[in-house]
Every structure is written in structure tokens, then in C-alpha cells.
Amino acid sequence: MEEVKKIGHTGEKVAHGIFFVCGMVAIAFVLFITVFLVISGVPAIGKIGITDFLFGTVWASTAAEPKFGILPFILTSVYGTFGAILIAVPIGLLCAIYLSKFAGNKAAAMIRSAVELLAGIPSVVYGLVGMIVVVPWVRETFNLPDGANLFSAIIVLSVMVLPNVISVSETSLDAVPKEYEEASLALGANYTETVFKVSVHAARSGIASAVVLGVGRAIGEAMAVMMVAGNVANMPSLFTSVRFLTTAVVSEMSYASGLQREALFSIALVLFIFIIIITLLLNFVFKKKGDVA
Amino acid sequence: MKNSKFAVVLAGVLGAAMVMTGCGSSSSSSSASSSSAETEAASSSSSSSASSDLSGTVGTDGSTSMEKVIQLLSEQFQNDNPGVTVTYNPTGSSSGITAVKEGSTDIGLASRDLKDDEKEGLTQTTIALDGIAVIVNPENGVEDLSLEQIKQIYTGEITNWSEVGGNDGEIVCIGREAGSGTRDGFESITDTKDACKLSQELTSTGDVIQTVAGNPNAIGYASLASLNDTIKAVTVEGVECTEDTVLDGSYKIQRNFNVITNDSKELSPAAQAFFDYITSADAADLISKAGAVPVNK
């Protein structure tokens, strides 16, 4: 007995060690990427000047007198993400409510697999469909000379974040204790009232994290928006061709040299900081959740 | 609980990153460019009996515009020298130049001339000329544009096709991204450098053709070699964009296809042989087959 226990103990230690190393690998990658981005992104910001970089409105990276202002990209990313969320959250939330509270088993299963499929479609496919279908549609519907603009990007992005919003909201709605709803019904509220005033309210932190996740997905998307947004470094408005933070990096990276190249790393750093803020926000939301799972 | 721990870890990571940056930032400028430009050292197929004694891998890297040219040339070269594998990495002119400078490839391909800050230690050899065709949608009634008109269209002075003899419709200017050899060539020849007001900036010749083909009011530019039936090339100052007009100089919008070599690094025998071949008159036929205009005949 004694011996068996001893072997078990060492085995335990080895397993513990392996798990520890695997855990450290994740941290190592984050650390490596952070260090890399900071090292390669900070010098250019220093050379350009942080105000000129963050608040400059002109990006002309290959001009005779190059200008590296990324405010157009930052605003485009913010507006684009905001617009996508504005469209996707109402639809996604109502869909989640339907799935969680109203749909029969068969309908729910069908919708759920459709949502999963939507989440699994590669972004280049979204971009392709956007380019062939959405862009010409926007051009004709709004009678514009060209359909590749912020609006098309918002449409494509909203479809892309929809599955994130739906599945996270649904999970949190499912987790609302039955007693809450039963109590509400017992007090005389009808079912719809109960769902909207009790269940949604109780699941609000989960829904909030669904929104934040959607924001994260939208702000990090590059391929699909690159194919529909037109990629010109304009200050954003709904029907102008715009460039996102992500596409600013992608579209020039292959040909960039010198300070232009360094500035692209700086953009990546800004994007990375955005993502960190969103992740922290997500943690904050999760922590605040209090009463309900 | 888990999440607060995560936040602590994240904070720690960031803190550590800042500290490490403090130490490393003095020697940082080159660390950014460890791009994936490394050419794949595809194991050279040594199965066939080598008729020449050359062997090894020749790496080429750079301009996407030169893809057709370099692929035809490398195919022929590999047929002649079965022991040699020529790889091509379509990364763009600037990346190709960087790759040669860093020694991660043998021969760089650039569809523009070297800039002053790139010239040090590198040599460029022009192997061909490329015409940049101005393309419009086939539905567009406009057949000819002058250089001046093209300039005015791209700088936003002319905004409607009716001003240049076409149907009423707002002109949609399609361009390439900053750093593209085609863009550089087009803008320097039409004198529109940094002055273009574009509706779309696309990252490949294929995208430009696709977009112009899909929008009746679009105008774009693309290599002579990549023209097809879905779009229409207009004549510039009455001159059609063809090989002959590019070579005799009557077609105005044209640029050089260059190969770039590193002065301080001797080419391997295989790479030297490939370099000699593509810069020789023997390559002329294949270069014209690829749609470009050879300079060594």
C-alpha cells in the first residue's frame, strides 16, 4: 500500500508539473507578443510624436513628406464596431430570448445549428459575399457611385458578430433560476412580461459580456472588412470609403519599408491596447455579476 | 476569483513588457522586420538525372506584378537545370528588396526602381518594361484619355464621365495601396503622387480588375500582362497599350521590372546562373510571353 501511494504521489507531481508548464506556455505567448509589439511599435510613435500619431487626421505613408495620423483608422474602427453592435445586439438578443424561452425543441435545435454554422464561416467568405452581394446592393440602393464604404462594412460585421451575441446571451438566459420566473408568473405577470422584466434583467451581466465579446470580434476583424470597406484613409462617415485599424496594417504591410513599416507595428500596438481594454472590461463585467450565474 | 487572477497576470505581463522594452528599445529598429520572407527551401527534386552540374535552391522574393514573368522564366530554367529549384515568394517590391538586404533570399524582384535609402549595398538590373494600362468597365463609352485627363480624374478635378465624352455618371477611382509598385509607377508617370482621391484602395491587381469589372463607373489601372475581357483598356493620348508601344516609348504609362542583388553577398552558382539567364537575351521570348516587354533582345 505504502509503495503504491508513493508512486501515485510522484505521478501526481509529474502531472502537476506538466499542467504547470502548459499553463505557462499561454502566458509566455502573451508575454512574447506584448514585448514584441511594444518593442517594435513604440519607436515609431516616438519618431512621429504621440499626438501627431493618435490625433493626426491625415495618413499618407508614402508621400514625399509622409504623415502618419491614425485618427481616421481609430474612429473608423470605433464607428464600425459601434454600428455593428447597434444592429447585431437587438437581433441577437431577441433571437437568444426566443431560443431560450419561447422556441420548441425542434425549432431551437435548428436555429442553434444555424448559428453555430454562422460562427464557423471563415471571415474571407463573409468578405467575398460582402464584396459580390452587399457592395453592389449598397451602391444601387443608395444611388452611390461606389458601394465600398463604412455602411457595407457595418452590415458585414453585424452578421459576423451575431453568433457571438446570440450564444452568450442564450447561455446566460438559460442560467436564470426557474424560481425567478415562477415567482413573477405567480404574481400575475404574463409570460412575455416575465421574460423581459425578470429573465433579461437577471441575465443582464451575461448579456453585457455578450456585447463586449461582439465588440472584440468586430474590432479585430480584418479580412472581411478589407474586402468591403474600400480602404481609403478618409475620416469616416457612413458612405465614404474607410480604412480600419486592422486593414491599415494588412493593406500596407506587404510593401512597407522604413518608418512606414514601423508605424504599422505601432498601429498594431494601438489595436492590441484596444483589445486589452475590452478584455479587462469583460473581466469587470463578469466580476460584477453578483446574484445570477 | 479566476478572473481577478487573470487580471493580475495580465497586469504582470504588461508590466514586464514595459520593463523589457526599457532595456531593449535602443537596438530595436531591426527586430521588427523578421518577416516570413524566408523562402521555402523546397527539397530540390534530385530524382531526374542532372544534365548540368548545377544544384540547389534559388530564392526569389518580391513584386507581385512580376509573378508571371518570373514563373515562366523559372520554369524554363528548372527544365534546363533539373538539379535547381527556383522558389518565388510574392510579397511585394519593398518586401523583396528588404529580403535581399537581409540575405533571406537570393534575388529580389522589384517593379519599381530602388529608392535612395534602399540603394546602399544593392544593385538593380532592369530585365523588362511593363506597361500600366488604364482600365474601365466595358460598358463605359470612353475610348481615349490624355495623360492630363487621367491626372485630372485621379486628382478629383474631373468627377463625371460626361466631362471626358462618356455617359453621365460619377467617376469612381480605384487605386492600389501605398507601397505598391503599380501605384508608384502609375502615380509618378501621371504626376498624381500623393494627390489621388480614390474611392477604393485595393491590394492586388486581381481585386482592381474585379472591382472595375463590377462597377460601370469605375476607372483603375493594372499591368499590361493582366488585362482580360472583363474590362476595357483605354488608349492613352491615342496610343493603345501594347508591347510594341511600350518598347518604342510611345505608350506613356510604363515602368521597369528590376531584379535586385546584394553587393556584399556572392550569389550561389545556381543563383548566379539564374541571374545570368534572366538578364540575357535568351529570356526575351518568355518575358514577352508573360506580357512584359524585354529590354535585352
Side-chain angles (χ1 to χ4, degrees):
Chain A
M1 275 306 269
E2 194 69 42
E3 236 179 67
V4 172
K5 204 177 176 189
K6 216 173 172 182
I7 290 167
H9 193 66
T10 359
E12 192 78 353
K13 268 192 171 167
V14 170
H16 190 271
I18 291 172
F19 293 144
F20 177 77
V21 169
C22 291
M24 285 302 117
V25 165
I27 295 182
F29 280 133
V30 174
L31 189 69
F32 173 77
I33 292 171
T34 312
V35 170
F36 175 79
L37 274 180
V38 171
I39 287 178
S40 48
V42 166
I45 297 180
K47 280 180 222 165
I48 298 160
I50 187 141
T51 9
D52 286 348
F53 183 66
L54 289 178
F55 301 108
T57 55
V58 178
W59 173 269
S61 55
T62 53
E65 274 177 49
K67 289 203 172 69
F68 298 97
I70 64 164
L71 191 64
F73 307 155
I74 295 178
L75 288 182
T76 301
S77 277
V78 171
Y79 291 174
T81 306
F82 184 72
I85 291 297
L86 216 57
I87 297 176
V89 166
I91 299 175
L93 183 57
L94 292 181
C95 177
I97 290 172
Y98 176 71
L99 282 176
S100 172
K101 305 297 175 195
F102 292 96
N105 282 342
K106 248 188 183 165
M110 239 168 73
I111 295 175
R112 232 171 256 136
S113 46
V115 170
E116 275 162 26
L117 206 62
L118 206 58
I121 294 173
S123 59
V124 64
V125 175
Y126 280 104
L128 204 61
V129 174
M131 194 167 135
I132 309 282
V133 179
V134 178
V135 170
W137 178 78
V138 168
R139 188 182 78 221
E140 277 154 31
T141 310
F142 297 94
N143 203 12
L144 302 164
D146 191 21
N149 52 35
L150 182 59
F151 186 68
S152 302
I154 287 176
I155 291 178
V156 171
L157 278 179
S158 57
V159 179
M160 294 185 73
V161 300
L162 205 53
N164 296 34
V165 175
I166 293 173
S167 56
V168 178
S169 308
E170 196 205 341
T171 313
S172 66
L173 282 168
D174 283 343
V176 174
K178 262 218 142 27
E179 293 80 2
Y180 285 28
E181 285 158 16
E182 282 163 0
S184 166
L185 291 170
L187 285 169
N190 67 32
Y191 192 62
T192 309
E193 277 173 342
T194 301
V195 166
F196 280 94
K197 297 208 165 140
V198 177
S199 311
V200 170
H201 190 72
R204 64 187 182 281
S205 67
I207 294 167
S209 56
V211 173
V212 177
L213 265 181
V215 170
R217 169 108 206 241
I219 208 162
E221 179 51 44
M223 196 64 215
V225 293
M226 181 149 166
M227 296 168 84
V228 298
N231 294 321
V232 183
N234 293 321
M235 287 298 270
S237 74
L238 202 53
F239 292 120
T240 49
S241 169
V242 290
R243 199 186 291 182
F244 289 70
L245 280 170
T246 45
T247 47
V249 179
V250 177
S251 63
E252 290 190 15
M253 193 47 111
S254 55
Y255 289 115
S257 66
L259 185 59
Q260 181 195 6
R261 192 183 171 91
E262 288 177 45
L264 297 183
F265 283 102
S266 308
I267 297 177
L269 179 64
V270 171
L271 189 64
F272 186 62
I273 290 169
F274 267 90
I275 299 288
I276 289 176
I277 292 171
I278 290 165
T279 315
L280 289 177
L281 208 64
L282 193 65
N283 276 308
F284 181 70
V285 170
F286 266 127
K287 237 191 281 177
K288 254 187 79 177
K289 77 173 105 168
D291 45 3
V292 168
Chain B
M1 275 312 281
K2 282 237 159 121
N3 290 303
S4 64
K5 265 185 198 160
F6 168 74
V8 169
V9 168
L10 195 65
V13 163
L14 278 175
M18 298 300 173
V19 170
M20 290 170 82
T21 319
C23 307
S25 60
S26 57
S27 63
S28 59
S29 56
S30 64
S31 66
S33 49
S34 56
S35 68
S36 60
E38 230 125 341
T39 51
E40 285 165 43
S43 54
S44 54
S45 53
S46 51
S47 52
S48 53
S49 57
S51 59
S52 82
D53 40 1
L54 284 172
S55 68
T57 300
V58 182
T60 67
D61 190 321
S63 170
T64 52
S65 314
M66 290 171 70
E67 176 167 2
K68 267 190 187 169
V69 172
I70 218 67
Q71 271 180 353
L72 279 178
L73 290 176
S74 55
E75 239 168 63
Q76 183 61 42
F77 186 75
Q78 288 175 105
N79 276 342
D80 298 342
N81 304 279
V84 180
T85 305
V86 181
T87 65
Y88 163 65
N89 207 2
T91 55
S93 299
S94 298
S95 296
I97 293 164
T98 311
V100 181
K101 200 159 226 171
E102 288 171 352
S104 60
T105 193
D106 298 307
I107 296 170
L109 312 169
S111 50
R112 59 172 173 79
D113 289 344
L114 287 174
K115 294 176 191 163
D116 285 336
D117 66 338
E118 291 168 337
K119 275 183 182 152
E120 200 188 316
L122 299 180
T123 304
Q124 77 173 40
T125 313
T126 304
I127 59 168
L129 300 172
D130 178 40
I132 300 173
V134 175
I135 56 173
V136 295
N137 192 282
E139 288 174 32
N140 193 316
V142 174
E143 300 291 341
D144 179 68
L145 292 169
S146 69
L147 266 181
E148 185 59 28
Q149 281 172 326
I150 293 170
K151 178 183 173 181
Q152 286 172 335
I153 286 172
Y154 267 90
T155 52
E157 281 173 58
I158 296 177
T159 56
N160 198 301
W161 283 111
S162 59
E163 294 173 59
V164 287
N167 309 325
D168 183 51
E170 198 176 323
I171 301 176
V172 176
C173 297
I174 310 294
R176 291 289 305 276
E177 79 284 14
S180 147
T182 316
R183 167 166 162 162
D184 189 63
F186 176 83
E187 292 191 352
S188 46
I189 298 158
T190 56
D191 192 25
T192 53
K193 223 160 179 38
D194 313 325
C196 285
K197 294 198 169 49
L198 301 174
S199 297
Q200 291 198 44
E201 263 179 49
L202 302 172
T203 52
S204 79
T205 300
D207 279 350
V208 172
I209 290 176
Q210 162 82 31
T211 306
V212 173
N215 187 334
N217 291 321
I219 182 170
Y221 48 82
S223 281
L224 167 61
S226 54
L227 297 183
N228 63 31
D229 298 340
T230 62
I231 38 95
K232 182 175 78 175
V234 296
T235 54
V236 175
E237 319 236 302
V239 181
E240 202 183 336
C241 182
T242 64
E243 275 195 30
D244 295 336
T245 56
V246 169
L247 197 60
D248 67 21
S250 59
Y251 184 80
K252 293 286 182 274
I253 308 176
Q254 52 169 287
R255 61 179 167 158
N256 292 343
F257 276 172
N258 297 314
V259 291
I260 312 293
T261 45
N262 193 328
D263 300 340
S264 56
K265 187 185 154 203
E266 203 176 326
L267 289 173
S268 68
Q272 184 63 49
F274 184 63
F275 179 85
D276 292 342
Y277 169 64
I278 60 177
T279 52
S280 73
D282 298 342
D285 279 349
L286 284 172
I287 291 174
S288 21
K289 208 171 151 192
V293 185
V295 288
N296 303 306
K297 276 203 173 171

